[in-house]
Amino acid sequence: MAIEHSTRQNHLLAAFPLAEYERLAEHLELVPMKLGEVLSESGGRMEHVYFPTTCIVSLLYVLENGASAEIAVVGNEGILGISLFMGGDTTPSRAVVRSAGHAYRLKAHLLLQEFNRAGPVLRLLLRYTQALITQMTQTAVCNRHHSVEQQLCRALLLSLDRLSCNSLTMTQELIANMLGVRREGVTEAAGNLQRAGLIRYSRGHIDVLDRLGLEQAVCECYGVVKVEFDRLLSDIPRTA
């Protein structure tokens, strides 16, 4: 059965007022997002911005020795490419697809033109950026002070919030790169969650069996991020 795609699957796009949306609509291009695809590198300039609908993009900070850690995720709640309208042109993070799906792509200069109109799109994008900064800040705190198991719970819940299913494709290597920990730590944490009946993990696939249990096991960081996103984006429609 063919999957129906709509720009309204991205909550930020769905919140654009009609006039602003119509100026951009014909330029929005639906593109497949493959697992592991690199959309931008640290220091590179983005020619397009992306509005994810059914995929999740991980923002990673990569050290000189190749080690990395996830600083934020972007899914159907937002946009990839905030450096464009924040004036920095480039970003220190690498953007990698960590859950395959689709997104709508838009040429960067078209969004910048809309942003510079200083109308409702500017306000929406700045509010989203504040929420994203909160996620980055809380991730840094979480990585420093909480266990790998708690960090894994946070990563899983943030993913579930951006997807319409309870099944995730996440290899141990991908999770280790996300959290900036050794694979052995991921193996132990995932094993603990599986023995507790919260997830089922097999060959790179994670099925969440008990979301409420994950929410009880996670640290405070997930709640802080969720509350801030809900506060700042409370009037953005959550369309399917």
Side-chain angles (χ1 to χ4, degrees):
M1 184 175 64
I3 299 175
E4 293 187 6
H5 297 282
S6 167
T7 57
R8 295 188 65 80
Q9 291 172 305
N10 179 276
H11 304 154
L12 202 56
L13 272 180
F16 280 26
L18 183 60
E20 285 75 9
Y21 174 78
E22 289 184 341
R23 278 196 293 267
L24 298 176
E26 65 178 303
H27 304 288
L28 291 166
E29 177 188 6
L30 182 68
V31 292
M33 306 284 267
K34 299 178 181 178
L35 180 66
E37 181 180 357
V38 178
L39 302 176
S40 67
E41 285 285 5
S42 172
R45 297 191 63 177
M46 295 184 66
E47 299 298 323
H48 297 86
V49 296
Y50 295 84
F51 295 91
T53 53
T54 58
C55 71
I56 298 177
V57 179
S58 177
L59 302 182
L60 301 169
Y61 192 90
V62 184
L63 300 176
E64 290 181 357
N65 65 3
S68 65
E70 185 177 82
I71 56 176
V73 295
V74 179
N76 61 5
E77 85 294 347
I79 181 174
L80 175 66
I82 66 168
S83 60
L84 169 73
F85 53 81
M86 294 301 289
D89 289 334
T90 64
T91 175
S93 61
R94 171 188 291 168
V96 181
V97 178
R98 77 153 152 103
S99 181
H102 286 80
Y104 283 89
R105 184 170 68 180
L106 179 70
K107 289 183 178 179
H109 74 274
L110 294 175
L111 183 70
L112 189 58
Q113 286 176 6
E114 194 61 52
F115 183 85
N116 288 336
R117 291 176 185 270
V121 169
L122 178 148
R123 291 189 290 275
L124 281 170
L125 293 175
L126 289 183
R127 282 160 55 200
Y128 170 74
T129 300
Q130 182 177 341
L132 188 64
I133 291 172
T134 298
Q135 186 188 159
M136 292 177 175
T137 303
Q138 205 66 35
T139 298
V141 173
C142 190
N143 290 348
R144 175 65 179 85
H145 292 287
H146 296 140
S147 69
V148 175
E149 190 172 319
Q150 290 173 314
Q151 292 177 50
L152 179 55
C153 289
R154 171 177 55 81
L156 293 176
L157 287 168
L158 287 174
S159 295
L160 292 181
D161 286 346
R162 290 156 175 81
L163 296 173
S164 59
C165 65
N166 291 324
S167 181
L168 309 171
T169 301
M170 302 175 76
T171 64
Q172 287 191 2
E173 182 178 4
L174 177 63
I175 297 171
N177 289 336
M178 282 166 40
L179 303 182
V181 300
R182 296 173 63 86
R183 288 183 62 177
E184 293 82 355
V186 173
T187 300
E188 181 180 358
N192 290 341
L193 295 180
Q194 183 161 259
R195 284 188 290 274
L198 304 183
I199 67 171
R200 181 171 56 243
Y201 182 80
S202 176
R203 294 185 180 181
H205 291 276
I206 297 178
D207 294 312
V208 175
L209 306 177
D210 183 356
R211 175 172 180 140
L212 180 59
L214 280 183
E215 292 178 351
Q216 293 172 342
V218 76
C219 53
E220 65 198 76
C221 299
Y222 167 70
V224 170
V225 172
K226 182 171 175 56
V227 166
E228 188 68 354
F229 266 85
D230 289 346
R231 181 182 75 85
L232 289 168
L233 308 178
S234 59
D235 58 342
I236 291 182
R238 298 297 195 265
T239 50

